[in-house]
Amino acid sequence: MNTGFSVRMGLFFGQYLPVALSYLVINFIASLLVRMKRLSLVQTVFKNQQIAHDNKLSSQELHLAVKNVFIYAGQGFIDLYHNFKNYDALQQQIFDNDDLKKLINLSKNNTPGVFIVSPHMGSFDLMLAAASARGLKGNVLTIENPNSGYKLQNNIRAMNGLKIMPINSINYQKAIKTMIKGGMVITAVDRPIPGQKHKLEFFNKPCPLPGGYVEMAIKAKVPVRVVSIHKNSMGLYKLKLSEPIPMVPMDNQEQEIIYNAQIILKKIEDQIRAYPLQWQMFYPVYPDG
């Protein structure tokens, strides 16, 4: 889903085909994908969707849910790539609400800083592009060694004024300093990290999700806010911004990470449960079964 070929294909559909036709192509591809149950990608989405639905879906319901995940993901690509170079077109794709305005204003204030965390939902890149065009200032923490697809996505983010910071020891310190100075740092927190030592509870099961953002927020002495995006009934992308979540320092770093991360993950669970078909997690959240 995030290979260079897939992103270039999305760019082609988005820029050279009418949106309605592109949507038809996406529906066709989704119908094919959901039948390819031997593909690890498809197996992963089946498993993640069953978890997001608390294991309550029948076989037929799960099949439809997974198909819709691919449809929403594809539509998000099309909506972004069709509009990201056009300010007015971008604004027509989003639902303009108070939460979006608050997020933009937070990024402009010199104090206090804030750490924005998010699940992979809706079209986060489209919302970031639209918000950046309206003045959002932020530093986006991304994976350290992105593949060609992620590199293209990061280039699009950078085109809209966002600062891309691959996660490494240097950018770790830079992100903390940015927040100390009143800046905003943004990252997704629902992608598993193979070999992660601590295990966090997510949908009532232990999994290797990241917790480093807790340590960074505590060092910067800033709160964490959860942002989620979903496509509403009008076909517009809507942003939801949580209230600030203060991080609680502890003497034991392991307990500190687990305690604070669980509070954040509970809020993220609630957002995913509200729009489970729009949770676009294509990595196995529970790689051990």
Side-chain angles (χ1 to χ4, degrees):
M1 294 297 290
N2 291 299
T3 63
F5 171 78
S6 296
V7 174
R8 289 188 183 91
M9 186 171 66
L11 281 166
F12 174 81
F13 286 163
Q15 295 184 71
Y16 299 109
L17 295 182
V19 171
L21 179 57
S22 297
Y23 275 15
L24 288 175
V25 174
I26 291 300
N27 285 6
F28 175 72
I29 293 173
S31 297
L32 290 179
L33 271 176
V34 75
R35 293 183 174 91
M36 299 178 182
K37 294 184 180 181
R38 292 186 179 182
L39 289 180
S40 59
L41 165 68
V42 178
Q43 292 174 0
T44 293
V45 179
F46 265 88
K47 186 171 183 179
N48 288 346
Q49 277 299 297
Q50 190 67 286
I51 288 167
H53 286 87
D54 297 310
N55 295 299
K56 294 179 179 178
L57 296 183
S58 67
S59 177
Q60 184 176 1
E61 290 170 334
L62 183 57
H63 181 95
L64 182 59
V66 172
K67 178 181 175 180
N68 278 303
V69 170
F70 290 129
I71 289 174
Y72 273 116
Q75 288 181 354
F77 277 132
I78 298 304
D79 294 339
L80 171 63
Y81 298 146
H82 189 76
N83 299 292
F84 76 94
K85 293 182 179 180
N86 186 320
Y87 173 86
D88 291 332
L90 268 177
Q91 304 311 313
Q92 292 172 13
Q93 294 294 313
I94 64 172
F95 184 81
D96 192 2
N97 62 0
D98 288 341
D99 281 358
L100 175 58
K101 294 171 184 174
K102 285 180 185 177
L103 181 69
I104 294 172
N105 288 333
L106 278 172
S107 76
K108 294 178 179 179
N109 294 336
N110 290 326
T111 183
V114 63
F115 206 142
I116 300 295
V117 301
S118 173
H120 289 79
M121 287 183 64
S123 181
F124 198 76
D125 280 326
L126 186 148
M127 182 62 74
L128 283 180
S132 298
R134 293 173 57 174
L136 177 78
K137 304 295 181 184
N139 301 266
V140 182
L141 287 176
T142 65
I143 58 176
E144 184 175 6
N145 297 305
N147 62 26
S148 58
Y150 276 117
K151 286 179 181 178
L152 283 171
Q153 289 174 314
N154 285 339
N155 289 340
I156 292 171
R157 292 166 178 169
M159 284 174 59
N160 289 287
L162 295 169
K163 185 175 181 181
I164 306 303
M165 302 175 70
I167 297 174
N168 54 42
S169 58
I170 295 174
N171 285 333
Y172 175 91
Q173 296 298 331
K174 284 183 178 179
I176 292 172
K177 289 178 181 178
T178 293
M179 291 185 287
I180 289 174
K181 293 178 181 179
M184 175 181 288
V185 174
I186 305 166
T187 196
V189 297
D190 58 340
R191 177 175 172 169
I193 302 176
Q196 180 76 273
K197 291 183 179 179
H198 62 257
K199 293 292 181 72
L200 298 170
E201 292 279 332
F202 195 49
F203 288 98
N204 302 313
K205 291 183 65 177
C207 59
L209 292 185
Y213 57 91
V214 170
E215 182 182 354
M216 295 169 70
I218 287 175
K219 287 184 176 180
K221 297 181 180 179
V222 300
V224 171
R225 286 188 182 231
V226 175
V227 163
S228 63
I229 314 295
H230 73 273
K231 196 170 189 178
N232 66 16
S233 59
M234 297 181 289
L236 302 177
Y237 292 95
K238 183 177 180 180
L239 181 145
K240 182 177 177 63
L241 174 68
S242 78
E243 292 298 316
I245 306 167
M247 297 291 95
V248 179
M250 295 181 179
D251 293 333
N252 185 295
Q253 188 181 60
E254 181 80 3
Q255 292 178 354
E256 176 182 88
I257 289 175
I258 292 174
Y259 176 82
N260 289 285
Q262 290 298 167
I263 295 172
I264 294 163
L265 289 176
K266 179 61 173 68
K267 292 185 179 295
I268 287 176
E269 279 182 28
D270 292 342
Q271 291 306 306
I272 293 173
R273 280 195 171 98
Y275 306 97
L277 304 183
Q278 299 194 43
W279 185 35
Q280 297 160 25
M281 177 44 54
F282 303 117
Y283 295 88
V285 177
Y286 308 97
D288 298 329

